[in-house]
Amino acid sequence: MKEMITYTNPVVSGCYPNPSICRVGHDYYMITSSNEYFPGVPLLHSRDLVHWQHVGHCLTRASQLPLVGLQSSRGILAPTIRYHEGLFYVVATNVPDKGNFYVFSDDPLGEWSEPIWLQQGGIDPSLYFDDGHVYLSTSDGWPEPSIYQCEIDIKTGQQLTETRLLWRGSGGRYPEGPHLYHIGDFHYLLAAEGGTEYGHMETLARSRSPWGPFEPCPHNPILTHRNHGTHPIQGAGHADLIEAHDGSWWLVFHGFRPKHGLFHHIGREILLTPVTWTEDGWLLVSPDKTVDVEMHVKTLPQQKQEEEPERDDFSAPALRPIWSFLRNPRAEDWSLSERPGWLRLYGSTVTLNDLDSPAFVGRRQQHLEANSKALLDFHPTGEGHEAGLTLRMNEQHHYEIAVIREQGKRSIIVRRRIGDLIAIVARDIIPEEGLVELEIRAKSDEYTFLYTIAGQPTRNLASGATRYLSTEVVGGFLGVKIAMYATSNGNGKTAPADFDWFEYHP
């Protein structure tokens, strides 16, 4: 029984770009890009399309997810999830030179197979199961920016046909994110165009054959915010279509929320809208092709999911799915068992500036206004040894508040790196003994860095503008991650940096 509800977009906040969705009965599974972070391909679950829980990842082994040396915003881009005859399939691209592959599992929360690599190039791969055939579509810029397709053997990955041009798009740049669906008498092709920035849009075409020719929708684009510059959501696109178990139709897609002069820094987030079909068989999002922040619509009966706890005490034997590493982690750099109830990091010579894997455990910043805190037990023994909290956009743009050994003294610093400008903007010498509570308060335009030592008042140490961690400044496709980290800054290996707990308060 449908009910009229109001839900808020984004339905999943923070950097979860390029969503793809499938349904099995009343269960909905959604995946997104993960770029250079490990484990890869976040897996989310819902029973009502509105409330989602991050329940795991599809790529959890280094053999599935080689990320060594990758630049920021590379790695896993735009995966697609599909369910067919008892198996879940995830097809993805590992950029720049690893290519397209798929993995499969009979249990999305269990182990996924080793990668099966595909011959067809391009990015944004999608699988289409239809009438005993399995088609692979990708976006490629050669010989011209278009959507391309071949047929494959889903048991081996072998390419069975030549790669053919499928559709050039409706005229927007970068036709990408293709998905095919067989609905009624037609094969519908959904694609993103315009680039995943302010000109982003979603377009539609159809054909009576999976090979085309494809007729473009007469009211393309079907979804875009490109002509609504004051709308709080921009960059709407890269959609996937799902029929709910009650027969209604929905799009999941991504967009971002710019603030203060068109800067956005927490990434592309997941949005949801119902869609209807016109009498002549085309998708309709809304009369003006946009979606609202507050959506008042009829939908499935609501079933709330378990919310991520605000405090993680690190008492479980494994990290929660919300946490991730930077590229492939080294086992010797971290532990949950050496000091039970604490997350222990050992800083190596690798720093946050390197195209490598520092001791780093992070989570997405999911709200424009939020407080993050951690209790740190760290007694640096070597010059330059440090541990603390970082706000990371990429290796050239990040802010830190950290305990460090400088000139033989234990200090707390705030450092900002903005491109090739690296500066310690605040410093306090602190006692050699004692735990330190580190805190980052986020507002839409500014971060504030604070610390507390037991028995002393909280001290406001420094601040930094959010815009210098924004996509418009940094480039790339990511959002800010808040992470616990440790590094020796090239000077051996640090003493253990132990984090008793981490809190994130929206």
Side-chain angles (χ1 to χ4, degrees), residues 5 47 55 78 112 127 138 152 163 175 177 209 238 278 307-308 375 394 398 420 435 502:
I5 69 158
R47 299 275 292 180
V55 292
W112 290 73
L127 293 176
T138 60
I152 66 169
T163 295
S209 164
H238 204 105
T278 64
E307 294 186 1
E308 188 68 26
L375 185 63
N394 66 13
H398 47 86
D420 58 4
L435 307 184
F502 180 97

Side-chain angles (χ1 to χ4, degrees), residues 20-24 27-30 81-83 88 242:
S20 177
I21 190 171
C22 73
R23 176 175 67 86
V24 181
D27 290 290
Y28 298 84
Y29 297 95
M30 187 160 57
I81 187 169
R82 293 293 182 257
Y83 179 77
F88 293 85
I242 191 73

Side-chain angles (χ1 to χ4, degrees), residues 204-339:
L204 185 67
R206 70 185 184 190
S207 171
R208 293 188 181 275
S209 164
W211 292 108
F214 280 87
E215 168 197 5
C217 175
H219 59 265
N220 271 333
I222 63 168
L223 168 68
T224 186
H225 287 194
R226 64 185 181 182
N227 296 323
H228 300 264
T230 61
H231 199 290
I233 296 169
Q234 294 294 318
H238 204 105
D240 202 358
L241 178 68
I242 191 73
E243 182 181 14
H245 58 269
D246 67 350
S248 59
W249 291 87
W250 299 80
L251 283 181
V252 293
F253 58 101
H254 70 213
F256 54 83
R257 293 179 286 167
K259 295 288 183 180
H260 308 289
L262 299 183
F263 293 96
H264 73 282
H265 62 284
I266 64 173
R268 295 168 295 168
E269 307 173 284
I270 301 177
L271 299 99
L272 173 74
T273 185
V275 291
T276 56
W277 294 91
T278 64
E279 291 185 359
D280 55 349
W282 295 106
L283 281 176
L284 182 66
V285 171
S286 68
D288 64 355
K289 308 179 182 182
T290 67
V291 301
D292 296 323
V293 173
E294 298 297 325
M295 299 287 291
H296 190 58
V297 299
K298 287 184 178 180
T299 186
L300 304 173
Q302 296 300 281
Q303 300 187 45
K304 291 188 176 181
Q305 296 275 11
E306 176 188 344
E307 294 186 1
E308 188 68 26
E310 292 187 346
R311 174 181 282 216
D312 193 335
D313 289 310
F314 304 117
S315 57
L319 289 170
R320 296 181 62 85
I322 198 73
W323 297 109
S324 59
F325 302 96
L326 179 52
R327 305 182 183 91
N328 297 114
R330 296 174 175 86
E332 65 269 21
D333 286 352
W334 72 284
S335 174
L336 286 171
S337 60
E338 285 189 13
R339 187 177 180 181

Side-chain angles (χ1 to χ4, degrees), residues 9 25 31 39 77 101 105 157 169 186 237 300 305 345 353 361 366 379 445 448 451 501:
N9 275 318
I31 61 172
L77 301 183
F101 66 95
S105 176
F186 291 100
L300 304 173
Q305 296 275 11
L345 300 182
N353 302 316
V361 176
Q366 294 185 267
H379 304 277
D445 62 339
T448 303
Y451 74 92
W501 47 260

